[in-house]
Amino acid sequence: MVQIVLQPTNSLKEWTLVEYQGELNSRLGNGFCGNKIGDLHFNSKGDPIMIIGHHILYGKVKKLEKPFAVLVKNKDAEMDQREYLIKAVITNKLIFSLRPKPIIIHVPKKV
Amino acid sequence: MCDTDILSDIKDVRARLELAKLDIRDLKQPTQVLTFDEDANDQDVTLLELDKSVLQVIQNGGSLVIRGNEDDTAVLCTDDSTFSLKRAVTSNSLILVPDCTTNKDDLHDTIDDEISLLYRSAVGWKSDYLEMQRIHPQTSRLLSLLQQSYYKGPQFEEEQAGKCFTLSELMNEIQASEVEVMTFLCKINSCCIEGKWRLLDFGYIVECMGELLQLIECESWSCGRVPFVEAVEKINDSGELVPSFILKHLLGSYGFQVDSDEDVVCYQLDETKICRFFAEMLLRDVSKFNLKEFLEVWKSSVPSGMVADEKYLLGLALIDKTSNPHTVKLFKVDQLPIDMQQRFNSLFTVKEKWTYEQIEPYIEDICVKGQTVSAMLTKHARSSTMDGVKYFSTRKPITT
């Protein structure tokens, strides 16, 4: 029987999940790697606000009812033994569930 | 990053805030700029949604194991629980940020419109994750493995053809946690013989218990106080009839060790277990038994001092009072499916209407943590009341 061990790392980190409604697209069409996502602000109530491209997103910090474990394949494991490391747990997420609002830059002047 | 870069980034952040018509005085600091790593991807990392109990296991440094053969659906086990694993897909984008300030207490008000900037990297993104759900361990396979080679006594061991298993060999075959496997082995009275977990052949148990009960009667011992060493000696004084480890196993299976003041190890036989043993012995070779006759034979066969009560048959045998004459037949929980829906289907195929008391022993063994028999009945059965008695019957046409 195949047995895959999930081993927590000694210093279990706490990561954050940022969740957007729908798909995130790269403006330059060159994938995500190395690209900037946006500015993350928090208002006085502690709610997150993100500016991504020409959009502004209002969100909430939410405690996950069911937390996540972050699994990464252990490349140092012996050949015949498959092992994953539990690198971190995620108990909080920033959720942006509202529709992004466009930022209007050029306001046409009244003629 | 050099200072001029940071300064120009701060300028950019400020410009974007203005365009977005956000007043910096309403915001907290630091401001965080999120950027994907150069090697960010959606493959290297897997997200596993955790049950609360499993989070604790991980936080205490405990490991988890995913088990399964090629054809199995994978299950995940802690030391003591089993969970099913399922891939869930979300239409949302999930971005993973290892280091991110989100806690209100780590943020401070903006003073003098000053922006303090932090760069945060996102290591990956996901749109799927693994979900886990507590399930009943896959014990039916465990049972069928042990049934390959019943123990019939030392003299039959040489011709024993079936395979026998150690605990680690069983763990390698069964999709369940070690504690659940051990609990199940105890429940089915499996006996560890020379490191292998075995089931005793029922005929052999009958033989050995016969010797024991006969001795108890001869010596006029009380069933509440059977001296172990003396019993072993007396049973085996003219050639080995019952090995001492078997006797010990049987006394433990059908009774329990009692405290004694002297240095003598004593066992008390359990009335329920002994009565059930006799009932099974009477019922196992017949398809049905006339209830009245059965009760007479049963009551007269149990050791003196024990009273065979009809309630001991719950979860072991079914009494049919709709037939004339009333009948009773053996119906053991072991052979029933461990899937809840399938379990209810088989129960309602055998018998249309059940009282709570009757059905409870056939449901409770597969209830996992958080499930109760009543809740399962509400979900899978329909209740009706007849002559003031509540009955449970199927919710749907029986599928075969």
Side-chain angles (χ1 to χ4, degrees), chain B residues 3-64:
Chain B
D3 288 352
T4 50
D5 283 345
I6 296 183
L7 287 176
S8 99
D9 282 345
I10 290 178
K11 221 174 113 193
D12 290 348
V13 167
R14 209 182 289 278
R16 283 192 288 271
L17 281 175
E18 263 168 45
L19 287 174
K21 297 185 180 64
L22 288 173
D23 190 339
I24 192 165
R25 282 165 296 184
D26 297 338
L27 301 176
K28 299 260 184 185
Q29 294 304 328
T31 299
Q32 299 168 82
V33 177
L34 267 51
T35 307
F36 278 114
D37 269 353
E38 284 297 340
D39 54 359
N41 64 71
D42 61 350
Q43 298 296 319
D44 285 355
V45 164
T46 305
L47 287 179
L48 170 66
E49 194 184 57
L50 298 171
D51 187 274
K52 281 239 168 71
S53 63
V54 180
L55 175 68
Q56 265 185 0
V57 171
I58 296 176
Q59 282 172 335
N60 294 332
S63 58
L64 313 172

Side-chain angles (χ1 to χ4, degrees), chain A residues 3 22 36-37 39-40 67, chain B residues 16 28 32 34 50 67 93:
Chain A
Q3 304 206 35
K36 194 184 138 183
I37 305 170
D39 304 335
L40 172 63
Chain B
R16 283 192 288 271
K28 299 260 184 185
Q32 299 168 82
L34 267 51
L50 298 171
R67 297 179 202 276
S93 307

Side-chain angles (χ1 to χ4, degrees), chain B residues 67-118:
Chain B
R67 297 179 202 276
N69 283 316
E70 299 285 319
D71 312 333
D72 295 327
T73 355
V75 305
L76 181 128
C77 301
T78 62
D79 283 346
D80 63 3
S81 329
T82 306
F83 299 84
S84 66
L85 281 182
K86 234 195 269 166
R87 182 167 167 264
V89 179
T90 159
S91 61
N92 287 2
S93 307
L94 310 174
I95 291 170
L96 298 162
V97 187
D99 210 359
C100 187
T101 307
T102 61
N103 192 333
K104 229 175 157 180
D105 302 335
D106 300 329
L107 301 162
H108 57 84
D109 291 334
T110 309
I111 303 160
D112 297 336
D113 292 359
E114 197 77 34
I115 291 178
S116 59
L117 206 60
L118 289 176

Side-chain angles (χ1 to χ4, degrees), chain B residues 315-326:
Chain B
L316 177 73
L318 289 180
I319 293 172
D320 186 357
K321 289 192 174 166
T322 59
S323 66
N324 191 18
H326 297 173

Side-chain angles (χ1 to χ4, degrees), chain B residues 356-390:
Chain B
Y356 182 85
E357 207 184 24
Q358 288 166 343
I359 205 165
E360 187 190 23
Y362 294 103
I363 300 297
E364 65 182 356
D365 68 304
I366 51 167
C367 283
V368 295
K369 199 177 148 207
Q371 289 182 334
T372 61
V373 174
S374 319
M376 292 303 108
L377 283 168
T378 312
K379 191 175 170 196
H380 294 278
R382 180 197 304 280
S383 72
S384 56
T385 309
M386 233 169 25
D387 303 331
V389 183
K390 199 170 179 183

Side-chain angles (χ1 to χ4, degrees), chain B residues 302-329:
Chain B
V302 299
S304 55
M306 289 194 178
V307 184
D309 191 307
E310 223 177 284
K311 70 174 186 245
Y312 295 150
L313 297 176
L314 288 171
L316 177 73
L318 289 180
I319 293 172
D320 186 357
K321 289 192 174 166
T322 59
S323 66
N324 191 18
H326 297 173
T327 56
V328 57
K329 66 174 177 186

